[in-house]
Amino acid sequence: KKHQRLKLFEQKDGLRMLKEFTCATGENAGTKKTSGDARTPEGIYHITEIYEDKRITVFGSRAFHLDYPNAFDTHAGRLGDGIFIHGTNKKLIANSTNGCITLNNTDLDELAPYLTVNSIPIIILDTESELVLGDNLLLQKNGLLFKDALEKLSFNSGKVPIENIKSLSYIKLGEQIVVSIHYTLFDDKLTQYSERKRAYLTQL
């Protein structure tokens, strides 16, 4: 937020930055605490819905709704809602939004293919130094962190083979940890189902 930048990272063999965009965040400094305070929340979030509008509106052609307030926000008593990543048909001005993260429409069009519901984490920080990014953040199967993540999610490897896991993330920001999993399973009729779980943990 301090530098009004949105950065997109890719995790494969290692972590690398793919793209960087200029953005605008809330008019007021600090994390969001209540409805109408014109602050952008800080923490680990996920997209819940994607809205597309073919008409010309002040919010551009599309908007990605974030799950603010998440479990950490609710526990801390932070209120409000309606936080989006969206475009704009006006000139992009730093620190000018009511709390949303706003990009130029052309930049949002470039970013949009990477923004998926309930999978990619959106990490919002005041300063980049708050997040420590290692060269390789992959969870190794059968490693201690991998096993700990599955345990925190109450994942039953006896019922669902580890091979059915599509994605598993373990993100720590300060004392907050968000663990997410996406996996597939089959019923007796061999119908495939896609399941997701998420756990919010506090490190004491």
Side-chain angles (χ1 to χ4, degrees):
K1 290 164 55 177
K2 180 179 179 180
H3 302 289
Q4 299 291 273
R5 306 295 288 176
L6 187 152
K7 298 183 179 184
L8 174 68
F9 291 89
E10 177 186 55
Q11 172 66 67
K12 285 189 175 179
D13 295 333
L15 191 70
R16 68 186 184 99
M17 189 174 72
L18 286 181
K19 302 176 187 294
E20 184 175 0
F21 305 96
T22 298
C23 70
T25 59
E27 182 179 351
N28 295 321
T31 192
K32 188 169 187 62
K33 294 180 179 178
T34 188
S35 180
D37 64 6
R39 292 184 173 96
T40 299
E42 297 167 12
I44 305 166
Y45 299 98
H46 292 81
I47 296 166
T48 63
E49 292 186 72
I50 300 174
Y51 298 92
E52 291 195 42
D53 189 351
K54 301 303 180 184
R55 300 170 298 170
I56 301 299
T57 72
V58 69
F59 299 109
S61 61
R62 67 187 87 194
F64 301 82
H65 181 261
L66 302 184
D67 62 347
Y68 174 87
N70 64 18
F72 297 125
D73 297 314
T74 301
H75 182 72
R78 292 189 281 267
L79 305 173
D81 55 21
I83 300 298
F84 294 84
I85 298 175
H86 67 78
T88 180
N89 295 317
K90 298 182 178 181
K91 181 181 179 181
L92 191 66
I93 301 174
N95 302 112
S96 62
T97 79
N98 290 326
C100 292
I101 300 170
T102 305
L103 291 84
N104 288 315
N105 284 330
T106 53
D107 287 343
L108 186 59
D109 288 342
E110 188 176 353
L111 177 66
Y114 300 94
L115 301 181
T116 51
V117 171
N118 279 327
S119 57
I120 184 171
I122 309 295
I123 304 172
I124 306 175
L125 306 167
D126 184 38
T127 61
E128 191 175 17
S129 61
E130 295 175 28
L131 183 66
V132 178
L133 295 175
D135 293 331
N136 194 331
L137 302 181
L138 284 177
L139 296 178
Q140 300 298 325
K141 285 187 178 180
N142 297 320
L144 292 178
L145 193 56
F146 184 88
K147 292 178 179 178
D148 184 54
L150 294 183
E151 182 180 328
K152 295 293 191 297
L153 291 162
S154 300
F155 182 82
N156 187 346
S157 57
K159 180 181 177 182
V160 182
I162 289 179
E163 290 69 27
N164 288 26
I165 297 175
K166 298 294 184 181
S167 64
L168 176 66
S169 66
Y170 189 106
I171 300 174
K172 181 178 182 295
L173 182 61
E175 296 179 349
Q176 299 180 359
I177 299 172
V178 178
V179 186
S180 301
I181 191 171
H182 174 206
Y183 60 92
T184 58
L185 52 83
F186 298 86
D187 64 12
D188 294 337
K189 298 179 181 179
L190 296 182
T191 302
Q192 180 173 315
Y193 293 91
S194 181
E195 300 283 344
R196 296 181 187 275
K197 286 186 176 182
R198 186 169 297 134
Y200 295 85
L201 312 170
T202 299
Q203 181 171 295
L204 301 176

